Amino acid sequence: HIDGFSLNLNLGQGIATTMDRTWGTGFTSMMPFTLNGKAHLLAYNKNTGTVHFDRFLPDASGVEGAYNNTWGTGFTHFVPFYIGGIPYFLAYNSSTGALHYDTFQQDAQGLTIQAVTTITAGFTSIAPFTKGGQNYVLYYNKATGAVRYDQINATGSGATTVYTSNWGTGWTDFTFYYMGGEPHFVAYNASTGRTDYDKIASNVPQGVDVLRQFTDAKNRKFANVAFQGPGHVMTYDSSG
């Protein structure tokens, strides 16, 4: 089921469900994006290459199909970013290291490929962030601990690696939020419950400032929740 919800935090009314639907099976990636001021969703099946662009209705009560097609198979990560308010995205295949830099056609009837390249295979987490008006991407491999930041160029057609390190193995979630306009993130290891609150260093190539470390419950998933006020992160335990 796809559940749309709204948060009414000021009135303390919690979550109001606005949509409850069943879609086709097999989608392995879903990436939200905004095009022409309207919320959309890219849904992709890495086994078949099936891809949909869907546009959310203004009252969030459903979606209308904007584009259906079949792309190449095997992409494991879709990562959105914006340049001048225009949506772009990365499509990455963790098995091969294939990486596409793409943007959307303005009528949502397809995509424009900006560049195709190959980077290191095996990254398991990819998270975008912005700092100083620049777009960056964090890549991490939970099997090796390898991590890097890439700074995306002004045309969305390539990137330069500005930081590499090893953060230890096992991290499963990197969830960004912003405080005072600065990028922070929660790093979480679902197997151990290890949780770090981190901040991207003031000088990005210097990496990260660790703000807090502790052990929490295991097997949680994290998501950013955006609304007016401080940064918030939502966690979910699959056991309920």
Side-chain angles (χ1 to χ4, degrees):
H1 287 263
I2 302 298
D3 295 317
F5 62 88
S6 62
L7 296 175
N8 195 335
L9 297 173
N10 291 334
L11 298 180
Q13 296 178 0
I15 294 175
T17 299
T18 60
M19 178 180 71
D20 187 348
R21 301 285 179 89
T22 300
W23 284 358
T25 60
F27 290 111
T28 51
S29 295
M30 291 190 178
M31 184 193 79
F33 63 97
T34 301
L35 179 64
N36 298 322
K38 297 180 179 179
H40 292 68
L41 182 72
L42 180 158
Y44 171 81
N45 182 324
K46 72 176 182 180
N47 298 310
T48 65
T50 298
V51 63
H52 292 185
F53 299 167
D54 295 307
R55 185 181 301 111
F56 287 94
L57 299 178
D59 61 357
S61 63
V63 296
E64 56 184 1
Y67 170 80
N68 297 319
N69 209 329
T70 301
W71 291 353
T73 59
F75 290 105
T76 51
H77 297 77
F78 289 82
V79 181
F81 62 98
Y82 293 82
I83 299 176
I86 297 173
Y88 292 72
F89 67 96
L90 305 179
Y92 173 71
N93 183 322
S94 64
S95 296
T96 65
L99 180 68
H100 287 215
Y101 293 85
D102 301 327
T103 189
F104 296 94
Q105 296 179 10
Q106 286 300 299
D107 60 0
Q109 294 304 300
L111 78 163
T112 300
I113 298 174
Q114 301 288 93
V116 178
T117 188
T118 301
I119 64 171
T120 304
F123 289 116
T124 51
S125 294
I126 305 178
F129 65 94
T130 61
K131 183 172 174 61
Q134 301 294 317
N135 286 295
Y136 296 86
V137 182
L138 181 158
Y139 294 88
Y140 171 79
N141 183 324
K142 73 176 182 180
T144 66
V147 64
R148 75 190 230 187
Y149 303 162
D150 282 6
Q151 181 177 346
I152 298 175
N153 65 27
T155 61
S157 59
T160 300
T161 300
V162 296
Y163 168 77
T164 60
S165 188
N166 191 294
W167 287 356
T169 61
W171 299 105
T172 51
D173 287 88
F174 294 88
T175 305
F176 274 85
Y177 61 98
Y178 292 80
M179 297 184 69
E182 292 296 315
H184 296 64
F185 64 92
V186 178
Y188 176 72
N189 183 321
S191 296
T192 65
R194 167 73 180 274
T195 306
D196 283 14
Y197 289 173
D198 300 328
K199 178 177 179 286
I200 297 295
S202 297
N203 182 6
V204 175
Q206 292 181 349
V208 65
D209 297 326
V210 178
L211 305 179
R212 184 186 176 197
Q213 299 176 326
F214 61 97
T215 300
D216 204 350
K218 300 177 183 179
N219 300 317
R220 287 185 170 180
K221 296 293 293 181
F222 282 70
N224 175 272
V225 179
F227 59 91
Q228 291 183 350
H232 287 68
V233 173
M234 179 175 70
T235 67
Y236 171 72
D237 185 328
S238 60
S239 66

